[in-house]
DNA sequence: GTACGTACCGAACGTTCGTTATGTACTTTT
DNA sequence: AAAAGTACATAACGAACGTTCGGTACGTAC
């Protein structure tokens, strides 16, 4: 009775087109017609694979989370995990632009806001063991890991936003320097030096900036 | 020849209505009709005081910046300045929601992105003397003040975003605790204690959380 | 009192949006 | 061969959008 084409594969095609539109124009530019035009088909096809625009948005956010996850190496220490989240590569810039752009709709629609809340909690949960590990090696001070995790997530995402709007000031080298300097500053005085981040006291003279 | 009404005052009325719409529905919900409905007038009136929707958006962002500035006491130390930017009051929550919501359009339209970039630079410039002051009192480590400013701005705005999506987890008390703990962790080992932030090592048992 | 400019309404303009309905080409099952 | 179901294109729907425009009410200036 049924099919001819690979439904799952075609759905991924649509998903990819959605992502291209998002990367180019953000959520305010995400329309069914833009997605259809991107892949050279009709809006009817798009709605054949996604029942509504809302489903398209939810799916796009899932893709964004998956891409973010894929950005971080399977086995990583804290510095690596945080550095991967910074907009230090074209791919990372694209993903972060989509994230930041999504916050508008996420704040406007409670359901999407709840999804974003859950995503943040997942991110912090993934960071948590890395923070605890850094605490045991003396790279981070003792104290409530939850506080440290929230603070490091905040630091990272705050840098992301500033970098997206001011890529000249916050280039790749400077972002990584800021991260290292921050981790270094957090290291307790009695911590053994240099396990997860180089000790940075004074920035080198010719550093990016 | 000319006028009867107070043009400037009426313009502020429109501006206030714009703000109410933004606070309620974000930038994705900002339409001329919504603004007009908010103040019970026609869209014609709105366009009488603002030539286009774009002008309305630009003006709204200026208002947001001014409100942010007004939030911070005239004379303040670093902790006070950063604490004021956190969503710890209904007013601050409202402002921050508008800010985060604006990033979607700001990323999509280069002109608005440039304005946002300039605003971030102004914010960091306002933070800078406070950071330098904290360095001289030994509350912050020596090193490039630009790095510390960017890091503290990042930390603060990163907390803002997490708090907006998860106000239960990031209530007023916890936000202030996180800020204090962060400033405390940054204090160099030879720094005299307690000038700009209480020394927080272990969170009190019954703290907000 | 006449002329003129501002303030504003009400309605409509053309566009674009998400969504739906209709029809056709093609495959697979019976 | 007939039946059925998937995979689309095409076209249209109604709603909402930013913007424009004609008209009216009301001042002030002459």
């Amino acid at each position: 009775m049924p099919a001819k084409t690979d439904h799952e594969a075609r759905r991924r095609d649509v998903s990819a087109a959605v992502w291209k539109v998002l990367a180019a124009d953000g959520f305010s530019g995400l329309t069914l017609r833009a997605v259809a035009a991107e892949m050279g088909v009709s809006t009817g096809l798009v709605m054949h694979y996604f029942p509504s625009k809302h489903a398209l948005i939810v799916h796009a956010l899932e893709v964004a989370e998956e891409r973010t996850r894929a950005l971080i190496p399977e086995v990583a220490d804290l510095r690596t995990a945080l550095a991967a989240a910074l907009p230090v590569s074209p791919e990372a810039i694209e993903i972060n632009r989509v994230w930041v752009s999504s916050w508008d709709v996420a704040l406007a629609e409670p359901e999407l806001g709840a999804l974003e809340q859950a995503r943040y909690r997942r991110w912090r949960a993934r960071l948590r063991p890395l923070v605890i590990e850094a605490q045991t090696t003396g790279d981070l001070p003792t104290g409530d890991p939850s506080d440290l995790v929230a603070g490091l997530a905040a630091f990272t995402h705050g840098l992301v936003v500033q970098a997206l709007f001011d890529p000249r000031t916050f280039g790749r080298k400077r972002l990584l320097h800021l991260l290292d300097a921050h981790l270094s500053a957090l290291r307790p005085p009695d911590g053994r030096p240099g396990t997860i981040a180089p000790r940075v006291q004074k920035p080198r003279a010719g550093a990016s900036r």
Side-chain angles (χ1 to χ4, degrees), chain A:
Chain A
M1 358 140 177
K4 59 178 172 186
T5 66
D6 185 342
H7 197 89
E8 207 61 28
R10 206 90 180 87
R11 200 165 197 271
R12 274 196 298 274
D13 290 346
V14 178
S15 178
V18 169
W19 186 262
K20 287 190 77 171
V21 172
L22 278 182
D25 300 323
F27 272 82
S28 59
L30 178 64
T31 68
L32 296 177
R33 283 170 173 80
V35 173
E38 171 63 40
M39 52 191 306
V41 298
S42 69
T43 68
L45 181 143
V46 177
M47 304 223 50
H48 188 71
Y49 290 96
F50 291 92
S52 68
K53 182 184 179 179
H54 186 258
L56 215 64
I57 293 178
V58 172
H59 177 76
L61 291 175
E62 289 169 359
V63 170
E65 185 179 15
E66 193 195 311
R67 287 204 184 214
T68 304
R69 187 190 318 264
L71 220 52
I72 303 174
E74 191 56 40
V75 42
D77 61 5
L78 182 61
R79 191 208 105 108
T80 307
L82 295 182
L86 292 174
V88 290
S89 69
E91 163 86 349
I93 291 176
E94 199 177 86
I95 291 177
N96 276 310
R97 286 180 66 94
V98 172
W99 271 132
V100 174
S101 167
S102 78
W103 291 338
D104 182 27
V105 278
L107 282 175
E109 290 185 37
E111 180 201 334
L112 298 178
L115 290 176
E116 186 68 24
Q117 177 184 106
R119 255 184 291 270
Y120 255 114
R121 289 182 179 179
R122 277 197 291 274
W123 186 34
R124 291 196 296 266
R126 296 221 307 149
L127 248 33
R128 177 178 256 270
L130 303 181
V131 165
I132 292 176
E133 181 198 347
Q135 283 181 308
T136 64
T137 62
D139 285 307
L140 285 179
T142 58
D144 191 345
S146 298
D147 288 1
L148 280 169
V149 167
L152 287 168
F155 175 84
T156 306
H157 255 183
L159 270 191
V160 165
V161 175
Q162 293 186 72
L164 288 183
F165 285 113
D166 205 338
R168 303 272 280 219
T169 305
F170 296 93
R172 202 183 102 90
K173 291 182 71 171
R174 174 124 132 102
L175 287 174
L176 294 177
H177 165 72
L178 285 171
L179 175 60
D180 287 334
H182 188 249
L183 289 175
S184 175
L186 285 181
R187 195 186 347 260
D190 54 332
R192 287 172 287 120
T195 305
I196 67 165
R199 183 173 287 270
V200 179
Q201 288 299 5
K202 280 188 191 297
R204 287 162 300 144
S208 71
R209 173 50 176 111

